[in-house]
RNA sequence: GCUCCCGUCAUCUAGCGGCCCAGGAUACCGGCCUUUCAAGCCGGCGGCGCGGGUUCGAAUCCCGUCGGGAGCACCA
């Protein structure tokens, strides 16, 4: 059996969202696990929607996730080009051959007429698909339409009866009746190819052996199958490839089989879309989710290994993934669970690693520079072990330790009201004085000083730690106090304690 | 309207006729620990959409029903 060839083919409009990323991941895992090839193809046949910025964003998001491609934009490959906007002549050649073979016909309705027809059909309770009005035009009729200035689209003649069925790697046998499948457009009036044609032509031309995509395309499959058959009939595709100057398909090419993945839905059970807030991969990156966690989590959105395992390294996923174990029901993209997994992964990072991953987020928040100053790097390294148990995403660290980087403390008025009052006046004054007299400024000496003040004033440790915490950080939720203070400059700490005295109300 | 797909705790998922009066994870609740916030440990809550069959036995098979989703574009 030849090595599998799979592909991910996003339409470059908008950002790569998690649903698309999941599709890309499954294809990638499948290819990597079986020594196959993963092809990235950009489906930008719709010039109105496709943008370069979107394409670059998608490429960047895939790279962030660690999904590399063997053929595609930026890396090339033997069956390119890999942007459909650069393959127009091929599609035109195929459409032409299809027309000569009478597999497609020219239809002259305008978009408005079709919309009206659709509406009418809906109203009458009929299926809104094309009814086949221009299936058998005479040459006179054609001339008349042409004379009116109309340009035809090309539609495929679909069978009027019979059944199609195919074996889906996820769903088993699926079948449709041809009578339910209307003649569909393969070439627009402006001569460009639609998704159906371009997608089918490229999958066949690139020797794709398995098409794994979202379930929303399940009912498009019969049309694809028809096209595959038409394309391979009498070497049509091979001739078109040769005639229009594109690379021949792989010698061992087979026609694609299918795997339809369940949809990813939001909390309202509707398929994920921009309406659901942040669903873009890049947004998750900004929020501080680790790529290996996203990969692990995405793998679990539809696939499972056994009853109890759910933490996998990328290598383990590559080894274990298979479409047989992809479920058939839609899965909810549960960010709470993602957070938990991300938090667990952060706990596995050592100080250096965590600090390195934290730095870009601190930079984005305006706390440290990029690249960081040596002192900033050192501070972050010191903070890393204190943060590890307390954050679930890298961005969670920002509010927790911002005070360690900023000159101005941001006051949490609730915390101030609760702790900077009463005995806090004596506490802050005593601690400030005691800190000034400390020999070595380190965790042990800070702890001893704090505990000493508590004993001296006859107060519980909470009555001492909390006011000090608020005075230095502005809030009552921070990493452990002595450990944090020891990382700061002593003079800064003392200055803040004294400044906080001003805010005390009795 | 028609076609296709799906239906196990709040959420994701294991289950493919007896191992299941249903297992794991997240979330939630409680306890311990504690200088805050966390983390950790221990414990708890909680589900086979419904109705018929088939069978000694059904979450698992069949039929029906209800519910959800997708598609039916000169968008992909």
């Amino acid at each position: 059996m030849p090595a599998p060839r799979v592909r991910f083919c996003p339409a470059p409009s908008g950002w790569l969202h998690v649903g698309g990323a999941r599709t890309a991941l499954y294809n990638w895992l499948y290819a990597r696990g079986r020594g196959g090839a993963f092809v990235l193809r950009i489906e930008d046949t719709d010039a109105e929607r496709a943008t370069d910025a979107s394409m670059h964003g998608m490429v960047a998001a895939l790279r962030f996730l660690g999904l590399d491609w063997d053929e595609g934009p930026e890396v090339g490959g033997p069956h390119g080009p890999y942007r459909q906007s650069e393959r127009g002549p091929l599609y035109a050649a195929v459409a032409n051959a299809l027309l000569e073979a009478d597999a497609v016909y020219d239809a002259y309705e305008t978009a408005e007429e079709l919309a009206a027809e659709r509406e009418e059909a809906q109203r009458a309770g009929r299926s809104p698909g094309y009814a086949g009005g221009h299936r058998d035009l005479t040459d006179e009729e054609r001339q008349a339409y042409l004379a009116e200035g109309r340009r035809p689209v090309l539609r495929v003649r679909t069978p009027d009866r019979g059944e199609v069925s195919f074996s889906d790697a996820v769903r088993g046998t699926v079948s449709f009746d041809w009578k339910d499948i209307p003649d569909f457009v393969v070439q627009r009036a402006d001569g460009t190819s639609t998704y159906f044609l371009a997608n089918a032509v490229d999958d066949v031309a690139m020797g794709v052996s398995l098409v794994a995509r979202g379930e929303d395309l399940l009912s498009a499959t019969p049309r694809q199958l028809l096209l595959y058959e038409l394309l391979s009939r009498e070497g049509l595709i091979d001739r078109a490839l040769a005639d229009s100057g594109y690379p021949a398909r792989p010698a061992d090419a087979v026609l694609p089989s299918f795997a339809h993945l369940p949809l990813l839905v939001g909390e309202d059970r509707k398929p994920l879309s921009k309406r659901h807030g942040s669903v873009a991969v890049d947004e998750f990156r900004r929020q501080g989710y680790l790529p290996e966690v996203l990969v692990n989590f995405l793998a679990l959105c539809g696939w499972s290994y056994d009853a109890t395992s759910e933490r996998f390294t990328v290598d383990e996923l590559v080894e274990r993934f298979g479409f047989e174990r992809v479920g058939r029901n839609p899965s909810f993209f549960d960010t709470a669970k993602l957070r938990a997994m991300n938090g667990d992964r952060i706990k596995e990072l050592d100080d250096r690693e965590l600090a390195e991953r934290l730095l870009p987020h601190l930079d984005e928040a305006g706390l440290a520079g990029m690249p960081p100053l040596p002192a900033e790097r050192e501070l972050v390294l010191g903070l890393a072990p204190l943060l590890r148990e307390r954050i679930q995403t890298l961005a969670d660290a920002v509010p927790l330790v911002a005070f360690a980087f900023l000159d101005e403390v941001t006051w949490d008025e609730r915390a101030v009201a609760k702790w900077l009052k009463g005995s806090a006046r004596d506490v802050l004054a005593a601690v400030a004085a005691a800190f000034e007299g400390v020999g070595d400024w380190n965790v042990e000496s800070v702890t001893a000083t704090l505990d000493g003040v508590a004993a001296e004033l006859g107060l519980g440790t909470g009555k001492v730690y909390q006011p000090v915490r608020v005075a230095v950080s502005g809030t009552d939720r921070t990493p452990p106090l002595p450990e944090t203070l020891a990382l700061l400059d002593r003079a800064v700490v003392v200055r803040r304690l004294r400044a906080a005295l001003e805010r005390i109300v009795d």
Side-chain angles (χ1 to χ4, degrees), chain A residues 13 48 51 71 98 121 173 235 267 273-274 317 337 431 457 468:
Chain A
S13 62
E48 306 237 316
T51 68
E71 298 172 31
L98 250 16
T173 303
E267 51 276 68
S273 72
K274 353 286 161 239
L317 288 172
K337 186 155 179 171
V431 171
L457 298 179
V468 171

Side-chain angles (χ1 to χ4, degrees), chain A residues 442-497:
Chain A
N442 56 40
V443 179
E444 291 70 33
S445 62
V446 170
T447 306
T449 306
L450 255 14
D451 291 346
V453 169
E456 194 183 305
L457 298 179
L459 295 169
T461 46
K463 291 269 191 201
V464 173
Y465 280 69
Q466 287 304 82
V468 171
R469 190 189 307 278
V470 175
V472 176
S473 72
T475 98
D476 56 1
R477 298 148 72 119
T478 78
L481 193 58
E483 286 79 356
T484 309
L485 295 184
L487 292 173
L488 300 181
D489 181 65
R490 180 203 321 222
V492 169
V493 171
V494 170
R495 197 183 319 129
R496 288 189 186 175
L497 290 172

Side-chain angles (χ1 to χ4, degrees), chain A residues 63-329:
Chain A
R63 290 244 159 83
F64 166 69
L65 291 173
L67 307 185
D68 56 342
W69 46 100
D70 306 293
E71 298 172 31
E74 298 180 11
V75 304
H79 303 287
Y82 295 90
R83 290 183 69 163
Q84 293 188 328
S85 53
E86 296 168 22
R87 300 171 67 81
L90 207 214
Y91 309 138
V94 169
N96 218 41
L98 250 16
L99 189 58
E100 272 167 32
D102 198 36
V104 303
Y105 60 91
D106 41 350
Y108 296 81
E109 293 98 334
T110 62
E112 295 72 42
E113 285 166 352
L114 290 171
E117 191 184 308
R118 234 186 338 266
E119 211 173 297
E120 171 60 34
Q122 293 269 42
R123 218 186 348 256
R126 293 195 312 272
S127 167
Y130 184 67
H134 287 196
R135 240 189 185 199
D136 301 295
L137 253 26
T138 63
D139 284 338
E140 291 69 47
E141 287 169 322
R142 288 194 174 86
Q143 292 310 325
Y145 282 128
L146 249 12
E148 269 179 50
R150 298 191 183 210
R151 317 300 326 174
V153 299
L154 257 27
R155 285 184 185 269
V156 175
R157 261 178 232 286
T158 62
D160 298 323
R161 60 185 63 82
E163 201 190 55
V164 234
S165 69
F166 59 96
S167 168
D168 187 284
V170 173
R171 279 148 213 281
T173 303
V174 181
S175 37
F176 294 86
D177 273 332
W178 278 120
K179 69 170 164 49
D180 297 319
I181 298 158
D183 292 351
F184 56 98
V185 175
V186 109
Q187 190 182 73
R188 302 187 182 99
D190 67 3
T192 60
S193 166
T194 64
Y195 160 78
F196 289 111
L197 217 224
N199 183 268
V201 165
D202 286 346
D203 283 341
V204 172
M206 294 178 182
V208 169
S209 59
L210 176 69
V211 169
R213 42 135 63 161
E215 189 204 77
D216 50 335
L217 290 166
L218 185 61
S219 48
T221 309
R223 286 173 277 192
Q224 230 108 44
L225 253 12
L226 215 209
L227 249 10
Y228 293 164
E229 194 209 311
L230 260 17
L231 292 175
S232 41
R233 198 181 281 172
E234 292 163 23
L236 191 154
I237 183 68
D238 298 309
R239 260 181 295 116
L241 246 12
D243 292 351
S244 52
Y246 287 89
R249 52 190 182 136
D252 56 359
V254 293
L255 291 180
S257 61
F258 293 87
H260 286 96
L261 312 175
L263 259 24
L264 237 38
V265 299
E267 51 276 68
D268 56 0
R269 318 299 320 176
K270 298 271 196 257
L272 237 34
S273 72
K274 353 286 161 239
R275 292 179 291 108
H276 294 89
S278 48
V279 290
V281 169
D282 194 58
E283 180 59 24
F284 285 98
R285 179 195 62 75
R286 264 199 301 269
Q287 287 174 20
Y289 289 92
L290 308 175
E292 65 268 38
V293 176
L294 245 8
V295 162
N296 188 164
F297 183 74
L298 247 15
L300 259 13
C301 284
W303 172 85
S304 65
Y305 180 63
D306 61 18
T308 55
S309 331
E310 52 180 31
R311 303 305 163 96
F312 300 99
T313 63
V314 174
D315 287 344
E316 286 166 340
L317 288 172
V318 165
E319 190 182 317
R320 296 179 190 175
F321 180 81
F323 288 105
E324 331 75 58
R325 290 204 57 88
V326 170
R328 281 171 289 276
N329 36 7

